[in-house]
Amino acid sequence: MTTTAPLTHRDLVADTARRVVAEHPPESTPRAEFLGACFDAGLAWVHFPRGSGGLGVEAGLQDVADSILQGAGGPVPFSINPMGYGMAGPTVVEHARPEVAAELLRPLATCEELWCQLFSEPGAGSDLAGLATRAVLDGDTWVVTGAKVWTSLAHRARRALLLARTDPDAPKHRGLTYFVLDMTDPGVEVRPLRQMTGAAEFNEVHLDGARIPDTHRLGEVGDGWRVAMTTLMNERRAIGGGSSRRGSGSIGAALQLWRERPDLRTPALRDRLTALFALADAARLTGERQRVESGDRPIGPEGSIGKLVGAELNQAVYDFCMDLLGVEATLYGSYDPPDGVDDETDEHAGPHDVQRAFLRSRANTIEGGTSEVLRNILGERLLGLPGDIRVDTGRPWREVPRG
Amino acid sequence: MVEFEFTDEQRALREVARDVCTRSAPEEEVRRLMGTAEGFDRAVLRRLGSDVGLLGLAVPEEHGGAGAGLVELALLAEETGRTLLPGPLVGTVALAVPALLATGDDAVAKELLPGVVEGTTVLALAATDDRGGWAPAQPSVAAGAGGRLTGEQAHVLDGAAADALLVLAAADDGPALFLVDGDAAGLTREVQSGLDLTRRQARLRLDGVVARPVGSAAAATAAAAVATARRTAAVVLAAAAVGSAQRMLDSSVEYARQRLQFGRPIGSFQAVKHRCADMLVDVEHARSAAYHAAWAADAGTDDPELAADLATVVTAEAHLRVAKSTVQVHGGIGFTWEHPTHLHYKRAVSDAALLGGRAAAAARLADAVLEPA
């Protein structure tokens, strides 16, 4: 009777969500309390075990819960605590010791504790496994020194996912260990990192003797790369989700601009916009098809298609918008950061938001996996092509050239 | 009916279609048929028809068909595209049958469709002008006194092999459809030497040919029937492009894994690997757009016209790009006559121009989405 099981799970999720909404009306319940009720009912991540924010059912059923909870006016926790919900939760539940997971997951789910991710470094981008931040054991405490970069929300995060080197003599993938860092530790310094848009959406995080109890290590010493894979697969899933409504996202902005500005139209621009629309809609339909084909299972490496296409499409769409605007595109509102660190997104209201989104889109093909890395994933993981010949395989990390 | 979710019956149909296409059209057989006068094997057509029931998929049950829809037809087309199965499927199943059904002419349908379902009757829809322009408002064939047709049409798909043709002609009240026997007196048909050797197009000359009007007054006009046929055929061509593109991607990946240069498989070079990754994206986008158009027609998940035009634009471009990349990945061997890549490449070039072409589809798509009323 396996064919009827998913229906039962679907009903369980839907019934549970309706019960939470009935017992904790979203409009009159404080946010943390509502999200806490969702966590306790197993709706934060429905595929997690019971007691850890889940119901032990298929991950694809999360949409069932979210549509009921958010349809009733509940908050969208992923947008408040993206690294927490998208990456930290799945990594913690899989790799933290149970008492630590119990301590961390609920405040994450209620968004009382925001999370950030300390992975990339000035010297380790696509080659993440080459990172140089050192963690040294001192009794039952790890002491961490190094520099991390491109960290969203670090200035507001209470906790961080941290990947650090614990054995520089091992080959690079084998000398890494994974930790949960308390961002209030005095050894942590957060500095805003200003980007070409003028805003500071990200931070640099300097670690100078930051201390982490060994209990907050995820996975074994030297096994950090495997743990990080859990995080990264969830990151690509979170970014590559895509929109399911025709004409939403950046192509929607271009279509709106086209409708609002008949004075700027030319036949050549019209052809370009048509081609962009066709590409955007093909990408949207492909995301829909992948969701249907994967059923209640999470989407695998084929999700990288959406991330790759979405990033390049965004850039092409904003290139188009700038060409459409013509000389008006040469203006820019202000490069002054609003107030220190800005939690901006692509949706930035203002008279020059096209220009801002245009500049911001340059990062799309770099963040969350460069387009080069994604094409490697498609080539190697989906098509089965052989990997490139490497010069660092098997060599101690210490001996591999960096810079 | 959830879009993109195939039923067990549809999955089984795909297996049957793949099996019969693979067995009927191995590469050497495709090449042999390319050199024959008619360009296909009538015995294979009967096998597809009476033996496995694929030709009647989208024919109503009252006329001996399976009464299924465009999703089923797309699955068949994908397999014919994968194998480049030569045969008059586009002219007969994708163009003439939907046009005939749209006219609501039951008598003609009763006469012709059982033979189509059996694979014994080949049909064509002649809705071009004398240069091959698609569905002109003023056809280059005129209906004279007593329903006699005179004029010329070019680029008529499967027009030479057709046992009967639906001909769009200028009549007193505007364009109308007429039924013409393949061996009617005054009809001469000349196969046009094609770039794509796996499809046949013909030039028709009609000189006072006796013809029967097709269509009931209550049903769609001839123009609407032809538009329905074009939309159906566009989805069929889109699905066939998916099969052909997938076949080329598979072939490119296999070659990139095996071909050694500089002491390593060429697929380990990022320049080649990334090209293959882009081909994968194209194939996946093409598949999504083609299936979506089929579902839009059958289940109304989208405006069928818009979805068909989108499918044409997306699949034609994907097919062409994948074909060019396949030549490039294969290097010198990909440019030879003996390698199958050129057959798929020519199919991609040719199909992109049929039924009015992808530029016209893009123009309709632009009108629909950029400045909606």
Side-chain angles (χ1 to χ4, degrees):
Chain A
M1 287 277 99
T2 51
T3 52
T4 59
L7 279 176
T8 310
H9 287 172
R10 183 172 286 267
D11 293 343
L12 169 68
V13 170
D15 292 348
T16 308
R18 280 191 283 265
R19 181 171 53 76
V20 167
V21 168
E23 291 173 4
H24 307 270
E27 67 274 16
S28 59
T29 308
R31 186 177 85 189
E33 190 184 321
F34 181 81
L35 293 172
C38 294
F39 177 86
D40 297 338
L43 300 176
W45 302 270
V46 295
H47 60 296
F48 284 15
R50 284 175 183 270
S52 299
L55 291 167
V57 300
E58 296 78 0
L61 295 174
Q62 188 67 46
D63 287 346
V64 175
D66 290 350
S67 64
I68 292 171
L69 297 170
Q70 289 158 27
V76 183
F78 183 86
S79 65
I80 304 163
N81 197 2
M83 261 70 67
Y85 265 84
M87 292 170 250
T91 310
V92 166
V93 80
E94 194 169 329
H95 299 285
R97 47 193 89 188
E99 68 277 15
V100 173
E103 167 203 340
L104 296 176
L105 285 174
R106 199 173 189 282
L108 184 165
T110 61
C111 296
E112 287 161 300
E113 291 188 354
L114 301 185
W115 285 63
C116 65
Q117 181 207 58
L118 298 176
F119 276 20
S120 293
E121 299 184 2
S126 290
D127 184 14
L128 179 62
L131 60 83
T133 291
R134 286 280 279 124
V136 178
L137 192 59
D138 173 21
D140 58 1
T141 303
W142 293 87
V143 181
V144 187
T145 303
K148 295 286 181 177
V149 76
W150 301 119
T151 312
S152 322
L153 287 175
H155 56 298
R156 298 207 285 128
R158 170 63 203 277
R159 299 191 189 274
L161 300 169
L162 171 74
L163 196 56
R165 186 157 306 281
T166 45
D167 183 0
D169 296 312
K172 64 180 186 180
H173 290 93
R174 294 209 289 268
L176 300 171
T177 303
Y178 202 109
F179 302 97
V180 173
L181 170 70
D182 184 341
M183 291 293 284
T184 62
D185 187 281
V188 177
E189 189 200 347
V190 178
R191 300 176 199 160
L193 177 61
R194 205 166 165 211
Q195 62 207 42
M196 70 160 82
T197 61
E201 204 182 326
F202 303 96
N203 303 275
E204 298 174 295
V205 177
H206 293 265
L207 303 167
D208 185 10
R211 299 181 76 81
I212 303 174
D214 188 50
T215 52
H216 282 203
R217 167 169 52 78
L218 303 191
E220 297 303 313
V221 174
D223 207 23
W225 185 251
R226 197 173 61 83
V227 181
M229 284 302 100
T230 310
T231 310
L232 292 178
M233 281 321 295
N234 282 288
E235 176 179 29
R236 298 226 167 94
R237 234 169 259 156
I239 292 180
S243 80
S244 58
R245 198 165 48 80
R246 170 172 287 155
S248 57
S250 59
I251 190 68
L255 290 168
Q256 191 185 343
L257 194 60
W258 181 262
R259 281 163 203 160
E260 288 170 359
R261 298 299 304 270
D263 55 313
L264 300 175
R265 295 174 190 167
T266 71
L269 285 166
R270 194 167 189 271
D271 288 350
R272 259 172 81 186
L273 182 55
T274 307
L276 289 169
F277 171 82
L279 177 59
D281 218 43
R284 175 185 72 88
L285 291 167
T286 298
E288 288 285 288
R289 187 164 61 83
Q290 287 175 343
R291 271 189 280 280
V292 171
E293 287 175 357
S294 65
D296 292 339
R297 296 182 313 278
I299 291 171
E302 68 271 24
S304 294
I305 292 175
K307 199 283 170 180
L308 172 67
V309 174
E312 296 185 349
L313 175 69
N314 252 2
Q315 294 179 346
V317 165
Y318 285 115
D319 287 348
F320 163 84
C321 290
M322 293 293 276
D323 284 343
L324 178 68
L325 283 176
V327 74
E328 293 175 34
T330 63
L331 303 179
Y332 200 83
S334 169
Y335 283 117
D336 295 337
D339 51 5
V341 173
D342 175 22
D343 301 323
E344 77 166 343
T345 64
D346 283 353
E347 324 299 334
H348 201 94
H352 300 289
D353 48 353
V354 167
Q355 290 89 322
R356 185 175 290 266
F358 162 76
L359 291 179
R360 179 61 182 81
S361 73
R362 295 261 53 96
N364 295 162
T365 48
I366 302 165
E367 59 197 343
T370 66
S371 293
E372 288 74 14
V373 166
L374 291 169
R375 286 191 167 86
N376 284 347
I377 290 172
L378 299 189
E380 293 170 23
R381 304 263 298 276
L382 286 174
L383 295 176
L385 290 169
D388 208 339
I389 294 185
R390 311 179 62 135
V391 296
D392 55 2
T393 306
R395 283 173 77 184
W397 173 80
R398 202 187 280 288
E399 294 174 11
V400 176
R402 291 190 302 283
Chain B
M1 225 161 125
V2 175
E3 179 159 281
F4 301 127
E5 197 171 272
F6 292 107
T7 62
D8 290 343
E9 289 78 9
Q10 288 165 337
R11 277 184 238 276
L13 167 68
R14 183 199 288 278
E15 290 309 310
V16 170
R18 178 166 302 187
D19 181 61
V20 70
C21 288
T22 305
R23 279 191 295 115
S24 305
E27 188 189 331
E28 56 276 17
E29 181 64 4
V30 173
R31 286 175 182 271
R32 184 186 73 77
L33 290 167
M34 279 168 12
T36 63
E38 201 162 51
F40 68 99
D41 183 345
R42 292 224 172 216
V44 168
L45 198 63
R46 285 194 296 276
R47 188 184 308 155
L48 288 171
S50 49
D51 290 5
V52 285
L54 293 176
L55 296 178
L57 279 174
V59 172
E61 286 169 13
E62 58 180 296
H63 297 300
L70 201 41
V71 172
E72 285 77 8
L73 213 48
L75 289 174
L76 168 62
E78 191 175 339
E79 297 310 320
T80 65
R82 185 190 300 272
T83 49
L84 298 178
L85 178 104
L89 266 65
V90 174
T92 306
V93 173
L95 283 169
V97 169
L100 177 55
L101 291 171
T103 64
D105 193 322
D106 225 39
V108 175
K110 272 199 175 65
E111 239 171 85
L112 294 179
L113 293 183
V116 168
V117 172
E118 293 291 302
T120 52
T121 301
V122 173
L123 300 178
L125 173 66
T128 55
D129 63 21
D130 55 357
R131 292 184 161 190
W134 180 255
Q138 297 193 308
S140 54
V141 170
R148 287 178 177 265
L149 304 185
T150 301
E152 284 195 26
Q153 292 184 319
H155 296 278
V156 176
L157 280 167
D158 303 315
D163 302 302
L165 301 97
L166 290 175
V167 177
L168 186 70
D172 291 342
D173 301 325
L177 281 169
F178 293 84
L179 182 65
V180 171
D181 274 349
D183 54 7
L187 171 66
T188 49
R189 301 186 281 183
E190 171 197 322
V191 172
Q192 296 183 289
S193 177
L195 177 89
D196 174 5
L197 295 164
T198 65
R199 286 209 199 284
R200 286 288 197 273
Q201 306 179 59
R203 171 175 283 279
L204 312 184
R205 287 194 188 81
L206 300 96
D207 186 8
V209 174
V210 176
R212 270 166 65 189
V214 177
S216 65
T221 65
V226 169
T228 300
R230 184 194 52 74
R231 202 172 64 214
T232 304
V235 179
V236 165
L237 288 187
V242 172
S244 168
Q246 179 72 58
R247 175 72 168 264
M248 283 188 283
L249 171 60
D250 294 346
S251 155
S252 297
V253 168
E254 189 186 347
Y255 189 76
R257 290 166 67 163
Q258 288 170 1
R259 171 72 170 174
L260 303 177
Q261 290 286 275
F262 306 100
R264 54 199 278 201
I266 61 169
S268 68
F269 291 107
Q270 290 193 338
V272 175
K273 181 180 299 170
H274 289 187
R275 186 183 280 278
C276 291
D278 288 338
M279 293 165 78
L280 171 67
V281 171
D282 267 331
V283 170
E284 292 301 317
H285 280 186
R287 178 169 281 122
S288 308
Y291 289 176
H292 174 70
W295 255 287
D298 285 358
T301 55
D302 194 1
D303 171 1
E305 187 76 30
L306 190 159
D309 287 331
L310 179 76
T312 297
V313 169
V314 171
T315 61
E317 187 166 337
H319 196 192
L320 282 163
R321 220 167 16 217
V322 167
K324 291 173 197 168
S325 280
T326 300
V327 176
Q328 189 65 24
V329 167
H330 283 79
I333 188 80
F335 183 65
T336 63
W337 187 264
E338 70 167 304
H339 198 272
T341 293
H342 72 102
L343 303 179
H344 289 274
Y345 178 47
K346 291 164 180 172
R347 170 65 74 86
V349 173
S350 180
D351 277 9
L354 298 178
L355 307 175
R358 61 182 174 133
R364 285 189 300 267
L365 182 65
D367 289 341
V369 297
L370 300 194
E371 302 104 16

